[in-house]
Amino acid sequence: MIRIEPRNSTSRAFALGIPILSAVVSLALAAIPLMLAGANPIVAYGEMIKGVFGSVFSISEMLTRATPLIFTGLAAALAFRAKLWNIGAEGQLYLGAMAAVAVGSGAFDVPGIILIPLIILLGAAAGAAGMAAPTYLKIRFGADEVVTTLLLNFIILIFLQMMLEGPLQDPMGLGWPQSAPVLDQGMLPPLVDRMRIHSGLIIALVAAGIAQFMLARSVWGFKLRAVGENAAAARHAGINVNRSLFGVAIISGGLAGLAGASEVAGLKGYLTADLSPGFGYTGIVVAMLAGLSPVGVVIAALFIASVFVGADSMSRAMGVSSFLADLVVSMSLLCVLVGGFVAKYRIIRADTGKAAR
Amino acid sequence: MPEQVLSLNGLSKRFGSVVANDDVSLTLRRGEVLALLGENGAGKTTLMNMLFGHYLPDAGTIDVSDEAGRMRPLQLGHPQAALAAGIGMVHQHFTLAENISALDNITLGSEPLLALRRDRKAARAKIEGIIEKSGLKAPLSIPVGRLSVGERQRVEILKALYRDARVLVLDEPTAVLTPQEADTLFENIKAMTNEGLSVIFISHKLREVLAFSDRIAVLRHGVKVGELETSAADEKAIARMMVGAETPKVSRERMAAGAPVMQLKGVSVVGRSKRDTLQCVDLEVRAHEILGIAGISGNGQNALAQVISGLAVPTAGAIHIVDSEISKPTPQAMVSAGVGRIPEDRHREGIVGAMTVAENMVIERLGDMQVQSRGLLRRDAIQSNAKKLAKEYDVRGPGVTAPSRLLSGGNIQKLILARVFEHAPKLILANQPTRGLDMGAAAEVGRRLLEARERGAGVVLISEDLDEILGLADRIVVIRDGQLTETESHDRERIGLMMAGEAA
Amino acid sequence: AEKIKVAAIYTLPVEQQWISRIHKALNTAAERGDIEYAFSENVANTDYERVMREYAEQGMQLIVGEVFGLERAARKVAKDYPETAFLMGSSFGPVAPNFSVFDNWIHEPSYLSGMVAGAATESNVIGMVGGYAIPEVNRLMHAFMDGARETNPDVKFIVNFIDSWYDPPKAKESAFAMMDAGADIMYAERFGVSDAAVERGVKAIGNVIDTSGDYPGTIMASALWHMEATIDKAIANVAGGSFEAADYGQYSFMAYGGGSLVLDESLVSADVVSAVKAKETEILDGLFRVNVNDDRPVSDN
Amino acid sequence: MMDILNILLSESFWAASLRIATPLIFGVLGALICERAGVLNLGIEGIFVVGAMCGWMAVWLGAGLWGGVLIAALAGGFFGLLHAILTVPLGLSQHVSGLGITLFATSVSYFSYRTALPNVSSPPRITPFQPLDLPILSDLPFLGSVLFQQTALTWLALLMVGVVWYVMNRTALGVAIQAVGDNPDSVDAQGLSVYALRMGAIVAGSALMALGGAFLTMSAFDAFFFGMVNGRGWVCIALVIFASWRPGKALFGALLFGAFDALQVRLQTEMGALVPGQVFLMAPYILSIIALVIAARSADYPRALLTPWFKGQR
Ligand SMILES: Nc1ncnc2c1ncn2[C@@H]1O[C@H](COP(=O)(O)OP(=O)(O)OP(=O)(O)O)[C@@H](O)[C@H]1O
Ligand SMILES: Nc1ncnc2c1ncn2[C@@H]1O[C@H](COP(=O)(O)OP(=O)(O)OP(=O)(O)O)[C@@H](O)[C@H]1O
Ligand SMILES: [Mg+2]
Ligand SMILES: [Mg+2]
């Protein structure tokens, strides 16, 4: 008979060792598909590390990929803290991106000092609106937000296609369903010359810092935590639960919108329907890995981005199918998940027969 | 001397650093009713959970008699083994699935899971037989979620009897029952003991312990501190055994009522069920008085409590607190108007378990300058306030920065008392304030309520424990079907009948 | 000669019709021993630029791909690696010194296949199921429609886009709906359409790839794209050190063997075959130019 | 308006609705079983992919159609077991585990497909399930073409609705599954294993989900494509709430969605020139949300959904 008990105390070495052990185990597991595909795992691991940390370029690439994940991770983490299950960050990301190109690609030809804040604000506002609607339906009609936000992802993606073939289409784009580019002065400044890493990362980090601080130290965060942990008690204590939910919905949607705005105005320059390879969904994973802590989101996003970029680059160096990258990411995700469990609980074999006599 | 049916031998169990049971031994005889007493957290439930196989003891063994009366060791840690050995347990908290019928709850686990058909007829016949013998009536076909607490309690017992229990464990079975319901329950159980059923029951109500048990065992801090025949016991002796000291008797002095602090005029609430409905109710509470609301659960107490707490908006009528009308009742508005509220379900509505004791102490007053400035929490002030209150109200536990869910029930209640009484409310709503509390903790609540009354507050005390109302209230109002009837009488029998709707 | 190191970067899996043609041409070259071929498929747009740079850093001599989603960024990468030759599917022009472009310019055979369809329809309704309304698709659809109108001025078209590259069941349902609305010839831009045609016993026209083997008796004609001409030309240029920025689009024209029409003569009447052949000659001789129209096609009402 | 009426009255529209609904029926039933037992299974989208890939691959390798169905179910059950281990005894976040399973199952399928078939330019095809052309029944006026020209897998889906209903409402196992999703303690106190019930339900539910995927490659189409599941799994997660966790309503919800989708293509065909095509593509999702808003009040969640349960802890 197996029983699970919380660990009473965890030593520092143990707490540090577990994540490392999880990473090692996930790498060991990755050897299986590698060998199936006929590659030498040891060489592959070397290539993987080189792919993330081998050069300034690779580090910059990793950070570039982590940037939207920090935003969507925060979006999920904050909403989930209030038990508002926002599965719609993917759609909200696109709403933010649409708003960013709608204002940024020539509608207002103003200096960057005005245009950049405008893009960021409207991007966030559009994302916020995308989460406000399902939250309203939840509060007013009791419509489950998991479903509405999930379905909205599809609706928004189709809507995006419609916009890109209609009002948002670039007249100079030779008919491609893509938006006009964001004006040069509207682009978020790059952080390193000739690299893709851009100041969206700074915004993301600042957002994480603010979220961490507000959650722990502000009345707003207090209410949010109370609503999430026990809405009935929060309501009884005089906290306006609906207002709290609505507030966090706006912020969560806004962060997801920022992810889209930052991808468009920081990286791509214009909008296509394949802007995000599922950043919204990965954000949920990031948030949960982080234990819904904003600072944890940064770490988890860096982790996921490193594994992906590393495995992706390794698949090329080793000449195995590039689907390997997602496979390695998913395996490390599951390993880290189990690792987190091992850190908190221990599994004991309780031999009941012996206890009986 | 009747034969033994059960013996617990040297059972120990620890949870982390908490020693919940330390070398506890206990025997039970055929046809006997054993009362297991102890303060909150003394380890009563833990002991029974080991008996039933929910918990695996760290040390010790259990022997149960088989059909033939021979004692055999029980396989530990397996509810199936306990059930098979004829042990039935009614848990402190209901273990019923609310989305299936009572019949399904009762038969759950007794039928082969992979069978393609169920013999519901036979099951129903067997249950009806048990109902007839035991008098424990409950509707069998509708989902349990729609049953009243009393009915659920009876379904719990039926579950155990259906499995042919020879030893029945009842963990605080009457905590949620009215006196009449409790009496009926015990009479039914008594009748069954005559046919050989043995019973261990846990209760904080000494009245029923003295009236219905044959023998008493007392736990303190996980250790068995005493065992005595009920015939040789009295309240004082038991209390001393449980607490290790005398408990002060709560005494109440006569006092002239003052000006009204709350008036409900023609208040109606339309709810989904009876418990959420009020029909054009008038009620006045004055300073220096405790108003007791007696009634069988589910007769509108919930609606009344919700109105006073600001959680329900009446469909008609007016609410006055002191002199001003509350036009838009919200919890916030009520707190600001000087209403202190002790909710019925302290775990569900009273505290946010994951947040710290200190945070829970300020949760109703997030707007205060002592709590926040410019939207940021003043953490030092919050903490020192909590430390002060914890000391003053004797909130014991792992400290004010620990999550409040780690506190015991009694201490959670003290936390809520501290939060409420600290701000000298003019009106106090106390909804089932001592439910599930041990004598010491319950006495403390009573003392605080009387203190507030003395200070000049008005108190609305909603309780299903008639003894509590009789002990504390200046005036008594009976609630039935969402309507209130005031009574001059302080007579148990008479009020009980009014609650049942059989006398005016 | 030394093998040339070629890498391809695709945004979709290599089974996608369009990409499969490039993949096939590169595989052929690799089998011939001309090149060493590596590829990454299903590369998200966000990652595309990184992959380009990685291959360039690895010392690939020729990088092939499609940059419809990242025209600007791709040109920036090319500028950073002037020693590497880039041959990219693109709607825009080449950039000196090393960024060349191509596209699937098979509007000519599409026109011819349209002639077959126009002549074959009895209900005068032709159904067209597309993935996304992008210029590459629209262009071929318009050429097809022009061809059909030439042989049958009364023909009407119904057009649906399913907004997905890969959902054959959905494409199939779309095709069924069109047949319910009277279409008796299907233009099979997506997988799934021909399957619907087979089930209902109507005829279909193929596009880009030749699927007549999979649907015998159903595919009347297909407009095929052959990337070999383009790829081989680029490889030769790289090998000869003469690769420069150019528009390789013309190598998809019929004149270069980049596009062709296949007919199932058992399904097409002889006079139609000869009309098509005549038109084909006209095109090859430069006497007839198929119109290019990149707008989203819409149903006739 | 006439057009819509004509469409609604046509046999082929209803046949299409049922066809489109079939994978959803499997998926919703699978999700229903998992959630009835108290566990959300967001692995559904990936399990669809696995079912589609394995079923097809098995047939391609010569297993026979029903062999393929069995293998798809086993593969789905395997990933279900993984989810079950992570979420039941280990009690890990059902959201993350589910999304992790989706990512894992999808990438395993894609990676192994590509590793097995490195050099295909056109995906290999199998001979899929054919419509059950039953002699007399198929010639019945309306029902004939709607019902009796479907493939065996559609029939299996309809049969499963009945089976799941029967098991849930008429057997001890079903009652226990409902109970464990409402209050695990109720099951534990009666001597049943919460772990076994929940894990069993997840494995069985996942096996059903995989059949939804298998339908795509073995009946709706005859080859496997990357990305062909295209969000169908997620739609099931939505539909199960719409269905209030009841098999009958699940069938209704899936059919409703299928009908919206079938109507959508037809309307796009008829009126595509007037409105952007995307308006129609959006319709099924928008109508689902509207339906949900209307049905929301009556939805009663399995109370223990998302809450892990540990033996011997409170
Ligand atoms: N599963 C558990 N995990 C951790 N601590 C536990 C657990 N169960 C009980 N305890 C602790 O063991 C001690 C004894 O608890 P127990 O529930 O047995 O008390 P009790 O006598 O039944 O109290 P009450 O009268 O309040 O029901 C308490 O300190 C309690 O907090
Ligand atoms: N195994 C059985 N044998 C005989 N009668 C049964 C059995 N199971 C249920 N019944 C009876 O059938 C009727 C309907 O059953 P049940 O309540 O399970 O379904 P329902 O709630 O009406 O359906 P659903 O849950 O699908 O909405 C009830 O009267 C119930 O007592
Ligand atoms: Mg207890
Ligand atoms: Mg039912």
Side-chain angles (χ1 to χ4, degrees):
Chain A
M1 174 116 223
I2 284 174
R3 294 200 181 230
I4 288 163
E5 280 197 358
R7 284 182 196 281
N8 303 321
S9 59
T10 38
S11 72
R12 267 192 88 77
F14 189 75
L16 262 170
I18 288 288
I20 294 172
L21 195 70
S22 321
V24 170
V25 171
S26 62
L27 282 184
L29 285 176
I32 300 171
L34 274 171
M35 290 193 299
L36 282 179
N40 178 344
I42 306 291
V43 181
Y45 297 147
E47 290 294 339
M48 193 166 161
I49 291 169
K50 221 165 72 189
V52 200
F53 302 110
S55 63
V56 181
F57 170 72
S58 53
I59 294 176
S60 144
E61 280 297 312
M62 184 271 280
L63 293 175
T64 306
R65 211 167 201 283
T67 303
L69 291 180
I70 298 177
F71 281 121
T72 54
L74 287 175
L78 289 179
F80 287 13
R81 268 293 178 99
K83 296 249 159 60
L84 182 68
W85 304 109
N86 177 7
I87 315 290
E90 185 78 2
Q92 292 143 24
L93 179 150
Y94 277 111
L95 287 177
M98 276 191 264
V101 293
V103 288
S105 62
F108 304 98
D109 198 349
V110 289
I113 233 164
I114 302 171
L115 191 56
I116 291 181
L118 202 61
I119 287 176
I120 290 175
L121 265 163
L122 277 159
M131 188 56 205
T135 309
Y136 174 77
L137 292 182
K138 173 194 173 77
I139 292 171
R140 180 75 179 70
F141 300 104
D144 185 81
E145 74 277 17
V146 173
V147 182
T148 48
T149 54
L150 199 58
L151 290 178
L152 267 174
N153 286 342
F154 296 98
I155 296 172
I156 292 170
L157 213 64
I158 298 170
F159 177 71
L160 168 72
Q161 192 70 33
M162 189 164 113
M163 290 294 108
L164 291 181
E165 289 175 16
L168 284 181
Q169 190 169 39
D170 183 4
M172 312 292 284
L174 299 180
W176 272 83
Q178 66 188 33
S179 77
V182 172
L183 300 178
D184 279 338
Q185 72 266 32
M187 291 295 287
L188 305 177
L191 292 180
V192 183
D193 249 7
R194 293 168 55 113
M195 301 278 160
R196 292 205 296 164
I197 180 172
H198 56 91
S199 30
L201 177 65
I202 306 292
I203 303 177
L205 293 176
V206 170
I210 295 177
Q212 181 81 19
F213 179 81
M214 291 298 278
L215 213 47
R217 303 292 293 273
S218 72
V219 174
W220 175 83
F222 185 112
K223 290 181 177 170
L224 183 70
R225 286 181 287 137
V227 167
E229 298 291 352
N230 186 346
R235 183 174 296 121
H236 186 272
I239 293 170
N240 188 333
V241 173
N242 287 350
R243 188 187 301 167
S244 271
L245 282 180
F246 218 76
V248 75
I250 301 255
I251 289 175
S252 167
L255 284 163
L258 274 182
S262 127
E263 284 298 279
V264 162
L267 196 61
K268 279 277 301 264
Y270 58 96
L271 176 57
T272 53
D274 52 4
L275 178 74
S276 153
F279 287 137
Y281 298 103
T282 315
I284 296 170
V285 170
V286 166
M288 300 299 292
L289 275 184
L292 304 187
S293 125
V295 167
V297 161
V298 174
I299 297 167
L302 291 176
F303 169 75
I304 298 258
S306 309
V307 175
F308 180 84
V309 170
D312 188 42
S313 151
M314 174 261 275
S315 76
R316 256 183 301 289
M318 306 301 294
V320 287
S321 161
S322 38
F323 290 110
L324 181 70
D326 276 337
L327 184 55
V328 174
V329 170
S330 64
M331 287 195 301
S332 359
L333 171 69
L334 295 176
C335 286
V336 169
L337 202 56
V338 174
F341 172 85
V342 174
K344 267 199 241 131
Y345 298 93
R346 60 203 178 111
I347 300 176
I348 46 172
R349 275 187 62 94
D351 198 338
T352 50
K354 204 159 59 197
R357 196 133 287 182
Chain B
M1 171 146 173
E3 71 213 86
Q4 248 190 20
V5 291
L6 175 72
S7 91
L8 313 181
N9 316 312
L11 291 176
S12 296
K13 178 79 185 170
R14 22 185 333 142
F15 295 103
S17 57
V18 177
V19 181
N21 280 155
D22 186 7
D23 196 18
V24 179
S25 299
L26 209 59
T27 56
L28 185 66
R29 293 186 288 256
R30 193 174 142 81
E32 177 186 43
V33 178
L34 171 70
L36 188 57
L37 301 189
E39 285 186 287
N40 292 130
K44 309 176 293 290
T45 300
T46 303
L47 186 64
M48 293 301 109
N49 275 340
M50 288 193 284
L51 168 60
F52 193 65
H54 284 312
Y55 294 166
L56 188 67
D58 297 334
T61 60
I62 299 172
D63 296 309
V64 193
S65 74
D66 61 13
E67 309 270 352
R70 266 168 311 177
M71 296 300 277
R72 294 186 173 281
L74 176 72
Q75 192 194 7
L76 300 177
H78 288 279
Q80 303 96 297
L83 284 165
I87 298 168
M89 178 154 173
V90 173
H91 296 78
Q92 186 167 0
H93 304 288
F94 291 141
T95 57
L96 293 168
E98 295 183 9
N99 57 348
I100 57 177
S101 66
L103 186 139
D104 289 338
N105 265 289
I106 293 167
T107 56
L108 195 63
S110 65
E111 305 162 289
L113 279 185
L114 296 179
L116 285 179
R117 293 187 52 86
R118 299 171 60 195
D119 194 349
R120 286 169 53 111
K121 268 212 191 84
R124 185 178 285 270
K126 179 170 176 187
I127 298 170
E128 274 163 1
I130 298 171
I131 291 179
E132 195 150 324
K133 256 201 292 191
S134 64
L136 301 162
K137 278 211 189 66
L140 292 179
S141 299
I142 56 176
V144 166
R146 300 221 294 265
L147 301 189
S148 74
V149 225
E151 287 167 336
R152 291 184 201 200
Q153 187 62 277
R154 292 194 284 273
V155 174
E156 284 283 8
I157 301 172
L158 287 173
K159 262 165 63 175
L161 298 179
Y162 184 78
R163 294 293 193 91
D164 302 318
R166 278 169 286 129
V167 175
L168 181 61
V169 177
L170 300 166
D171 195 348
E172 301 196 28
T174 60
V176 292
L177 299 186
T178 61
Q180 273 89 353
E181 283 178 318
D183 290 351
T184 323
L185 175 65
F186 279 113
E187 274 149 25
N188 295 332
I189 288 170
K190 263 290 191 216
M192 287 184 286
T193 56
N194 294 335
E195 311 208 338
L197 182 74
S198 311
V199 175
I200 301 181
F201 85 93
I202 299 175
S203 175
H204 293 296
K205 300 181 182 168
L206 288 192
R207 196 179 59 82
E208 25 182 81
V209 170
L210 292 172
F212 294 105
S213 70
D214 301 317
R215 207 151 52 91
I216 295 172
V218 179
L219 291 184
R220 191 189 328 147
H221 301 311
V223 181
K224 191 173 89 176
V225 290
E227 223 181 302
L228 69 170
E229 297 293 324
T230 308
S231 50
D234 67 68
E235 288 206 22
K236 253 201 178 131
I238 301 170
R240 204 178 314 115
M241 234 190 229
M242 278 167 58
V243 194
E246 300 274 336
T247 36
K249 185 92 184 140
V250 181
S251 64
R252 188 169 61 93
E253 288 153 38
R254 290 214 153 269
M255 198 173 267
V261 291
M262 180 188 78
Q263 286 171 300
L264 301 184
K265 293 179 188 154
V267 166
S268 295
V269 176
V270 180
R272 281 206 224 174
S273 63
K274 213 169 89 178
R275 65 191 290 269
D276 297 318
T277 304
L278 280 188
Q279 299 180 23
C280 194
V281 160
D282 293 309
L283 187 70
E284 186 178 86
V285 187
R286 296 164 166 276
H288 295 297
E289 87 170 347
I290 295 182
L291 176 71
I293 309 274
I296 299 173
S297 77
N299 270 290
Q301 289 96 328
N302 197 47
L304 181 62
Q306 292 227 321
V307 165
I308 303 177
S309 314
L311 287 165
V313 181
T315 44
I319 309 166
H320 288 267
I321 303 291
V322 192
D323 301 318
S324 50
E325 178 170 353
I326 306 288
S327 52
K328 238 188 114 211
T330 62
Q332 192 70 65
M334 287 300 181
V335 172
S336 324
V339 182
R341 300 133 338 123
I342 302 170
E344 172 180 15
D345 185 337
R346 40 187 170 270
H347 290 276
R348 210 179 67 80
E349 289 197 314
I351 57 160
V352 179
M355 296 175 77
T356 66
V357 173
E359 285 175 320
N360 274 286
M361 280 181 172
V362 296
I363 192 167
E364 289 186 343
R365 308 196 163 262
L366 293 175
D368 284 10
M369 293 312 286
Q370 295 92 304
V371 177
Q372 58 124 335
S373 69
R374 278 185 255 108
L376 294 185
L377 297 169
R378 298 178 54 188
R379 297 207 293 187
D380 294 341
I382 293 172
Q383 248 194 61
S384 54
N385 168 62
K387 281 197 184 124
K388 189 191 88 191
L389 288 182
K391 199 154 157 217
E392 215 172 295
Y393 287 82
D394 191 32
V395 183
R396 271 178 274 178
V400 295
T401 51
S404 55
R405 88 185 119 79
L406 296 182
L407 298 185
S408 70
N411 282 301
I412 289 175
Q413 195 68 327
K414 286 191 225 160
L415 189 169
I416 296 170
L417 289 181
R419 180 168 88 195
V420 168
F421 286 83
E422 165 68 1
H423 297 275
K426 304 190 188 83
L427 175 74
I428 293 163
L429 166 71
N431 193 358
Q432 314 289 357
T434 61
R435 177 181 284 177
L437 296 191
D438 64 45
M439 292 188 311
E444 170 73 11
V445 172
R447 202 173 61 73
R448 293 278 177 186
L449 289 179
L450 288 171
E451 218 173 76
R453 159 183 179 261
E454 207 150 302
R455 175 174 55 70
V459 177
V460 179
L461 171 65
I462 302 179
S463 178
E464 284 151 22
D465 185 346
L466 200 47
D467 295 327
E468 178 173 49
I469 291 197
L470 292 172
L472 291 173
D474 300 295
R475 261 192 316 137
I476 298 177
V477 169
V478 174
I479 187 165
R480 179 166 169 80
D481 284 340
Q483 289 171 322
L484 302 177
T485 320
E486 173 135 21
T487 166
E488 296 296 320
S489 153
H490 263 61
D491 175 50
R492 262 189 78 83
E493 206 56 27
R494 197 177 145 65
I495 296 174
L497 287 174
M498 283 178 73
M499 286 161 62
E502 282 157 25
Chain C
E2 202 169 303
K3 285 187 186 178
I4 294 179
K5 296 208 292 197
V6 181
I9 313 166
Y10 307 119
T11 60
L12 290 167
V14 294
E15 282 89 352
Q16 203 267 347
Q17 293 98 317
W18 203 88
I19 286 167
S20 70
R21 306 308 286 172
I22 311 171
H23 188 54
K24 177 163 171 279
L26 284 166
N27 268 327
T28 312
E31 274 156 32
R32 252 195 338 255
D34 291 353
I35 61 168
E36 238 174 69
Y37 172 41
F39 70 93
S40 288
E41 59 182 327
N42 214 33
V43 174
N45 247 322
T46 318
D47 300 313
Y48 203 96
E49 188 181 335
R50 175 175 70 252
V51 180
M52 282 177 82
R53 286 180 190 273
E54 274 182 17
Y55 274 136
E57 290 285 341
Q58 275 179 28
M60 293 291 174
Q61 291 159 279
L62 172 63
I63 298 180
V64 183
E66 17 136 14
V67 296
F68 299 108
L70 63 162
E71 302 274 4
R72 262 209 294 191
R75 284 166 174 79
K76 221 164 50 196
V77 177
K79 207 168 121 208
D80 290 344
Y81 295 94
E83 299 304 309
T84 312
F86 290 88
L87 175 63
M88 294 292 175
S90 163
S91 301
F92 292 83
V95 180
N98 61 338
F99 191 86
S100 296
V101 295
F102 67 89
D103 210 339
N104 63 335
W105 292 100
I106 54 162
H107 49 303
E108 297 161 337
S110 295
Y111 185 92
L112 299 177
S113 70
M115 291 175 64
V116 175
T121 176
E122 281 164 21
S123 63
N124 287 345
V125 181
I126 294 178
M128 310 173 81
V129 180
Y132 291 94
I134 56 168
E136 277 46 36
V137 171
N138 301 347
R139 179 186 303 158
L140 305 188
M141 284 189 167
H142 278 295
F144 171 86
M145 290 157 84
D146 289 346
R149 286 194 198 98
E150 181 184 322
T151 49
N152 182 350
D154 297 330
V155 70
K156 288 199 182 316
F157 299 93
I158 18 188
V159 190
N160 268 7
F161 289 93
I162 59 171
D163 273 25
S164 159
W165 288 128
Y166 268 131
D167 196 336
K170 197 164 189 164
K172 209 169 151 184
E173 287 301 338
S174 213
F176 281 135
M178 291 179 173
M179 297 180 216
D180 287 344
D184 64 348
I185 303 280
M186 295 303 303
Y187 177 75
E189 203 272 325
R190 290 288 100 205
F191 279 117
V193 177
S194 307
D195 302 75
V198 171
E199 273 185 39
R200 290 284 177 91
V202 310
K203 301 284 182 277
I205 303 290
N207 182 44
V208 176
I209 56 172
D210 187 1
T211 53
S212 53
D214 288 330
Y215 309 99
T218 292
I219 309 282
M220 307 179 76
S222 302
L224 303 185
W225 186 31
H226 310 285
M227 264 299 275
E228 284 76 6
T230 312
I231 292 289
D232 292 350
K233 178 79 187 153
I235 291 172
N237 284 346
V238 172
S242 61
F243 187 91
E244 42 187 51
D247 187 344
Y248 281 65
Q250 53 178 337
Y251 297 105
S252 293
F253 287 20
M254 286 174 73
Y256 286 90
S260 70
L261 180 81
V262 288
L263 272 176
D264 188 336
E265 299 207 8
S266 62
L267 300 177
V268 184
S269 68
D271 45 335
V272 175
V273 172
S274 57
V276 168
K277 286 265 145 71
K279 197 54 125 190
E280 186 171 8
T281 320
E282 268 184 60
I283 292 174
L284 288 173
D285 293 346
L287 298 176
F288 180 79
R289 260 197 65 225
V290 177
N291 199 23
V292 171
N293 179 354
D294 287 351
D295 294 340
R296 181 190 175 110
V298 291
S299 308
D300 294 315
N301 258 34
Chain D
M1 250 12 258
M2 251 347 266
D3 290 347
I4 297 189
L5 208 65
N6 275 336
I7 291 171
L8 290 180
L9 288 176
S10 73
E11 295 164 355
S12 71
F13 165 75
W14 289 104
S17 303
L18 184 53
R19 225 171 19 238
I20 298 172
T22 300
L24 304 180
I25 296 173
F26 282 120
V28 190
L29 288 179
L32 179 149
I33 295 175
C34 296
E35 291 183 24
R36 272 286 187 182
V39 181
L40 176 70
N41 190 350
L42 291 183
I44 184 168
E45 182 80 7
I47 292 173
F48 258 69
V49 177
V50 162
M53 209 285 282
C54 291
W56 169 86
M57 180 77 90
V59 177
W60 189 65
L61 293 174
L65 283 171
W66 288 107
V69 170
L70 184 70
I71 285 177
L74 287 176
F78 171 78
F79 284 93
L81 181 64
L82 197 58
H83 185 56
I85 291 171
L86 294 176
T87 54
V88 180
L90 299 191
L92 295 168
S93 153
Q94 294 175 12
H95 284 100
V96 187
S97 170
L99 289 171
I101 296 287
T102 281
L103 190 59
F104 185 50
T106 308
S107 51
V108 164
S109 306
Y110 289 178
F111 184 79
S112 29
Y113 176 88
R114 179 56 82 236
T115 307
L117 298 163
N119 266 319
V120 291
S121 53
S122 179
R125 288 158 180 264
I126 58 169
T127 311
F129 281 99
Q130 300 298 321
L132 290 178
D133 235 332
L134 297 179
I136 301 163
L137 294 174
S138 309
D139 299 331
L140 285 175
F142 191 81
L143 279 183
S145 55
V146 175
L147 279 177
F148 294 101
Q149 289 178 17
Q150 305 287 350
T151 68
L153 281 184
T154 299
W155 280 96
L156 182 64
L158 294 176
L159 180 70
M160 287 321 286
V161 175
V163 169
V164 171
W165 183 88
Y166 184 88
V167 169
M168 280 295 172
N169 291 299
R170 290 289 182 271
T171 68
L173 179 64
V175 169
I177 289 177
Q178 294 193 38
V180 81
D182 185 76
N183 182 2
D185 288 332
S186 71
V187 166
D188 184 51
Q190 292 283 61
L192 293 175
S193 164
V194 174
Y195 294 155
L197 278 169
R198 285 195 161 170
M199 293 177 70
I202 299 171
V203 170
S206 303
L208 265 185
M209 293 170 183
L211 294 188
F215 175 84
L216 294 177
T217 49
M218 299 172 61
S219 177
F221 200 61
D222 54 5
F224 175 76
F225 284 96
F226 298 93
M228 74 186 296
V229 171
N230 204 6
R232 286 179 176 85
W234 302 135
V235 168
C236 294
I237 293 292
L239 286 177
V240 73
I241 299 178
F242 172 78
S244 278
W245 296 271
R246 288 171 187 281
K249 282 195 186 171
L251 173 64
F252 175 69
L255 282 175
L256 198 65
F257 192 92
F260 286 152
D261 206 20
L263 187 64
Q264 171 268 118
V265 263
R266 282 165 177 74
L267 285 182
Q268 198 186 348
T269 298
E270 303 263 326
M271 331 194 330
L274 306 175
V275 204
Q278 283 91 2
V279 170
F280 301 106
L281 290 170
M282 272 183 221
Y285 302 103
I286 293 178
L287 292 172
S288 295
I289 290 185
I290 293 173
L292 176 74
V293 167
I294 294 168
R297 290 276 176 232
S298 61
D300 56 325
Y301 277 72
R303 281 189 309 149
L305 190 63
L306 291 180
T307 323
W309 181 92
F310 295 113
K311 187 155 181 68
Q313 271 174 47
R314 61 173 190 192

